[in-house]
Amino acid sequence: MAPDKDGTHGALSERLAASVYKQGEAARAQGQLAEAIGHYQRVAAVAPQSPVRATAQYDAAAAMLAQKDWDGAARTLEDFRSRYPKHPLQGEVTGKLAVAYVERGNWAQAAVELERLAGANKDPQLARAGLWQAAEMYEKAGARAPAARAYERYASQYPSRWTLRSRRVTGSHGWRARTAIRRASWR
């Protein structure tokens, strides 16, 4: 495009970004997710400074999740998180990243995202479930110290729930119950 001598470059760039984005929306509406992803990603190429770029990138990641492209979705969401830290859609990124990491088998990364969800969730039931799942993901990753800390936090924040859950913990996983109960009682 021509240099912005009279302010038209910015307006043209925005219209182009909006047009490409709308092509992505149309493809998504028709169930053509791969094509939609291509259009959403193209917004960054045709109008890198456009505010539409952030939404297009987020929508590309959502379409990748729908296609079960866990690696692509994780990369796109990680980039979105770092590129647009103040964007209103940031609140949705954590849950989507958790899904992508679980599906990829990246248990420790999933645990980190689930802890974030638990800490930010205003619904106490969802926060409690997120913290428990984070502890389980750490355990699945073989990260015993973070797992024990997460179980300890669960035990201290939800003592009545911990009692119910710890009764069900048996066998090789008994260390988590013993460790969390011991640590919680030290306080």
Side-chain angles (χ1 to χ4, degrees), residues 64-150:
M64 289 173 190
L65 287 171
Q67 277 197 314
K68 299 183 185 334
D69 177 5
W70 313 122
D71 292 334
R75 278 192 310 275
T76 303
L77 289 166
E78 289 162 355
D79 182 71
F80 180 90
R81 177 181 274 167
S82 66
R83 191 179 298 269
Y84 308 107
K86 305 274 189 227
H87 196 279
L89 290 171
Q90 278 295 335
E92 305 297 318
V93 169
T94 301
K96 291 186 181 323
L97 269 174
V99 168
Y101 291 150
V102 166
E103 293 296 335
R104 286 170 63 185
N106 293 12
W107 314 123
Q109 288 178 295
V112 169
E113 298 304 325
L114 288 164
E115 279 190 298
R116 279 187 181 149
L117 276 175
N121 209 308
K122 292 180 182 15
D123 181 334
Q125 290 179 336
L126 292 176
R128 183 177 62 238
L131 185 54
W132 184 262
Q133 287 177 325
E136 289 181 322
M137 289 293 123
Y138 279 129
E139 190 173 346
K140 202 167 186 175
R144 293 181 100 179
R149 283 192 297 271

Side-chain angles (χ1 to χ4, degrees), residues 130-181:
L131 185 54
W132 184 262
Q133 287 177 325
E136 289 181 322
M137 289 293 123
Y138 279 129
E139 190 173 346
K140 202 167 186 175
R144 293 181 100 179
R149 283 192 297 271
Y151 285 122
E152 175 187 341
R153 204 165 34 263
Y154 186 94
S156 66
Q157 290 178 8
Y158 310 106
S160 63
R161 294 285 181 180
W162 174 255
T163 303
L164 293 173
R165 285 191 182 252
S166 64
R167 286 184 187 150
R168 288 185 257 161
V169 177
T170 60
S172 64
H173 296 10
W175 69 268
R176 70 180 175 195
R178 290 188 300 276
T179 302
I181 290 168

Side-chain angles (χ1 to χ4, degrees), residues 18-30 32-33 35-40 42-43:
S19 175
V20 172
Y21 181 79
K22 287 184 189 297
Q23 290 172 6
E25 287 182 316
R28 184 187 62 208
Q30 293 174 357
Q32 299 169 340
L33 294 178
E35 188 176 321
I37 291 166
H39 289 305
Y40 292 142
R42 198 161 49 97
V43 170

